[in-house]
Amino acid sequence: MRSDNAKSGMQQAPARSLFRALGLTEEELARPLVGVVSSYNEIVPGHMNLDKIVEAVKQGVSMAGGTPIVFPAIAVCDGIAMGHEGMKYSLVTRDLIADSTECMAIAHQFDALVMVPNCDKNVPGLLMAAARLNIPTVFVSGGPMLAGRVKGEKRSLSSMFEAVGSYAAGTMTAEDVEEFECKVCPTCGSCSGMYTANSMNCLTEVLGMGLPGNGTIPAVYSERIRLAKKAGMAVMDMLKRNICPKDIMTKEAFTNALTMDMALGCSTNSMLHLPAIAHEAGVDLNVDIANDISAKTPNLCHLAPAGPTYMEDLNEAGGIYAVMNEIAKLGLLNLDCMTVTGKTVGENIKGCVNKNPKVIRPVENPYSKTGGIAVLRGNLAPDSCVVKRSAVVPEMLKHQGPARVFDCEEDAISAIKGGKIVAGDVVVIRYEGPKGGPGMREMLNPTSAIAGMGLGASVALITDGRFSGASRGASIGHVCPEAAAGGPIGLVEEGDMISIDINANTINMEVSEEELARRRANWTPKTREVSGYLKRYRRLVTSADKGAVLED
């Protein structure tokens, strides 16, 4: 056992004395040591129940003959961090989580790991760590929140942000907003739509790193506790069979994940995280293949914010395996990929039927014949940008309008809520990329303000930052190169005509090459003064199309 390096032989008697200080018995030390990585904290609603999940995991590990030992991972709540400087500290935690987990796992020579994440960046951060460490590892998330109910209709966090925009537009009262505030987030769990946290927990299941139900069983269901116990038992089976993350997270598995990303209509943040995880697994995952996959993958789900269904509905309809079974009918999945169940994808999804064709459209009747995410290119984004096509209204799939240019999120929000943005405009928010922010803030406040003010079907938003999975509309992010790195988004001037054709995968500013060259000759990218971790992060981070990974 790997842990023998820390606990066996005369040389390790001092270490054993410290294990005994933990209260461990000889019998426990004789067993494999399984690290349980707990993202529990009291500030993230998606994590407030993880203490119970962790205890269930420990029981599962113990029942299967292992010795579970808990250590922590940090997590930021994007919703609480939204709209102020705190959002600069969200994406950057992904690498802190991966690095700190690597440090703890190797320093203490764990034989296996069970990762217990739930929200936005700590799911991909722990997947990156799992690939890097490559010891038997199973994921079990804390589960999604139940949808709220306001005036008899299901609602979620995206409704809350849009309510603020509606109040600014004068179409909602303060009392209405307060009702939303008290009801849209009724339980613990990751927010109830197909936002980033749930996207990544579902894709963890697709990758083969989580057991069935990892992405969809609601946080408050007792079934989630049973799942956690099974995860503890599963990792012991993986240890016996020496099944490791790189046996599971292969190129074929990542292709499966991108395919299901398109079918499910996941958050655009998946286009940041999947390449980063693949990088750690030694797999080259270029976002360029996304359009090829999208072209042949139908979009089967319209979960909030794209539609009126929620994670609890997807769970009742059969969950991720039911969607996979639909997509497998088209021959689009590699069914031979290994998973943490010890079985292949094909074996796992066999017999998993679609129980509600209103939630999971059959492949014969998709929402669209192409996938939920599109990668665009043009003179505004030579290296690519990303949009959640499934959350764009049909009339905005092709749009041309004048640029309204802002060098930070706050200025854009002031203009939107001040009534200075009108139908037809294209809002451009720059210097919010990985280096420019730094930290690549999510632009949920401006997109929600646009939707809340009734402009969601007539105004586009383009940024070198990123979007929450709760954003909807023609919200185009990850513009590469970013303004701070000399990207042409930094050359856009007020009033420039911007042409967007999402179906054709193009995005251009109608400005001549000669004029762009003149502007570039007189332009120096802006730099914000930062200190501490953000200063180091800015120096090391790569572009969004590379997953915003840190340079080796």
Side-chain angles (χ1 to χ4, degrees), residues 154-164 180 184 195 310:
K154 284 187 177 182
R155 297 289 187 173
S156 63
L157 184 65
S158 54
S159 306
M160 183 70 253
F161 277 89
E162 291 178 14
V164 175
F180 271 76
V184 296
Y195 310 147
Y310 296 82

Side-chain angles (χ1 to χ4, degrees), residues 377-383 479-481 487-489 491-492 497-499 506-513 516 520:
R377 289 179 185 274
N379 67 358
L380 185 58
D383 290 346
V479 169
C480 295
I489 189 174
L491 303 177
V492 181
M497 293 302 293
I498 306 292
S499 296
T506 60
I507 182 167
N508 290 287
M509 49 179 157
E510 302 301 329
V511 179
S512 70
E513 288 301 315
L516 290 176
R520 186 174 292 280

Side-chain angles (χ1 to χ4, degrees), residues 43-50 77 117-119 142-143 145 188-191 219:
I43 188 64
V44 183
H47 292 219
M48 62 183 284
N49 67 319
L50 295 191
C77 177
N118 211 28
C119 291
M145 183 184 290
C188 62
S190 48
C191 296

Side-chain angles (χ1 to χ4, degrees), residues 294-469:
S294 179
K296 56 188 177 184
T297 307
N299 177 229
L300 305 184
C301 299
H302 266 193
L303 289 99
T309 54
Y310 296 82
M311 296 306 297
E312 62 201 68
D313 302 313
L314 180 58
N315 186 64
E316 294 300 319
I320 299 307
Y321 279 10
V323 187
M324 293 178 76
N325 215 8
E326 284 288 341
I327 292 298
K329 294 176 184 177
L330 301 176
L332 297 179
L333 293 180
N334 188 312
L335 302 180
D336 296 326
C337 293
M338 179 53 63
T339 72
V340 294
T341 66
K343 299 177 181 178
T344 65
V345 168
E347 290 172 317
N348 284 341
I349 68 174
K350 185 177 180 180
C352 295
V353 299
N354 180 359
K355 300 175 183 177
N356 189 341
K358 292 182 180 179
V359 176
I360 304 171
R361 289 272 187 99
V363 290
E364 298 83 9
N365 181 35
Y367 282 102
S368 65
K369 293 182 179 179
T370 54
I373 289 179
V375 176
L376 316 183
R377 289 179 185 274
N379 67 358
L380 185 58
D383 290 346
S384 75
C385 57
V386 179
V387 62
K388 188 172 182 176
R389 175 166 43 198
S390 60
V392 180
V393 294
E395 54 265 41
M396 288 299 291
L397 290 171
K398 189 172 183 178
H399 179 76
Q400 185 178 73
R404 306 299 309 280
V405 184
F406 305 94
D407 288 346
C408 67
E409 176 190 6
E410 288 82 358
D411 290 349
I413 292 172
S414 294
I416 296 166
K417 292 186 176 179
K420 297 178 181 178
I421 303 301
V422 299
D425 283 348
V426 178
V427 177
V428 177
I429 306 177
R430 60 196 180 189
Y431 295 104
E432 291 285 6
K435 289 184 180 292
M440 204 177 184
R441 288 195 287 182
E442 289 183 342
M443 301 291 139
L444 179 55
N445 274 337
T447 60
S448 299
I450 288 170
M453 297 188 74
L455 297 171
S458 59
V459 169
L461 193 154
I462 300 170
T463 181
D464 52 10
R466 60 195 179 92
F467 294 106
S468 164

Side-chain angles (χ1 to χ4, degrees), residues 99-337:
D99 292 348
S100 59
T101 302
E102 174 193 355
C103 291
M104 288 293 287
I106 294 179
H108 302 103
Q109 293 292 286
F110 286 105
D111 296 299
L113 297 171
V114 180
M115 307 292 199
V116 188
N118 211 28
C119 291
D120 299 1
K121 308 310 164 296
N122 79 317
V123 180
L126 290 177
L127 281 165
M128 289 165 68
R132 197 183 293 179
L133 290 162
N134 202 36
I135 60 176
T137 303
V138 173
F139 277 67
V140 56
S141 77
M145 183 184 290
L146 294 179
R149 287 186 178 272
V150 182
K151 294 178 171 57
E153 294 185 11
K154 284 187 177 182
R155 297 289 187 173
S156 63
L157 184 65
S158 54
S159 306
M160 183 70 253
F161 277 89
E162 291 178 14
V164 175
S166 297
Y167 176 76
T171 58
M172 189 174 282
T173 66
E175 291 74 21
D176 290 332
V177 174
E178 183 179 8
E179 183 178 6
F180 271 76
E181 181 182 330
C182 294
K183 293 181 178 179
V184 296
C185 297
T187 71
C188 62
S190 48
C191 296
S192 56
M194 187 56 84
Y195 310 147
T196 304
N198 291 327
S199 294
M200 293 311 302
N201 283 322
C202 290
L203 294 179
T204 297
E205 199 174 325
V206 176
L207 278 170
M209 291 298 294
L211 295 174
N214 178 72
T216 61
I217 298 170
V220 295
Y221 284 13
S222 298
E223 186 181 359
R224 176 65 56 178
I225 299 296
R226 297 196 296 271
L227 182 72
K229 292 176 182 177
K230 290 177 182 177
M233 292 184 275
V235 82
M236 295 303 297
D237 184 60
M238 289 179 69
L239 182 59
K240 291 171 187 174
R241 300 173 60 178
N242 195 31
I243 300 173
C244 296
K246 287 185 180 179
D247 300 321
I248 295 170
M249 290 193 282
T250 61
K251 189 172 185 65
E252 292 76 17
F254 282 103
T255 302
N256 282 351
L258 274 176
T259 300
M260 289 301 298
D261 193 334
M262 300 300 169
L264 290 164
C266 292
S267 164
T268 52
N269 279 315
S270 63
M271 301 303 289
L272 271 179
H273 300 321
L274 287 175
I277 300 159
H279 175 75
E280 296 292 351
V283 173
D284 181 21
L285 189 66
N286 193 315
V287 295
D288 284 340
I289 69 171
N291 285 338
D292 292 335
I293 292 174
S294 179
K296 56 188 177 184
T297 307
N299 177 229
L300 305 184
C301 299
H302 266 193
L303 289 99
T309 54
Y310 296 82
M311 296 306 297
E312 62 201 68
D313 302 313
L314 180 58
N315 186 64
E316 294 300 319
I320 299 307
Y321 279 10
V323 187
M324 293 178 76
N325 215 8
E326 284 288 341
I327 292 298
K329 294 176 184 177
L330 301 176
L332 297 179
L333 293 180
N334 188 312
L335 302 180
D336 296 326
C337 293

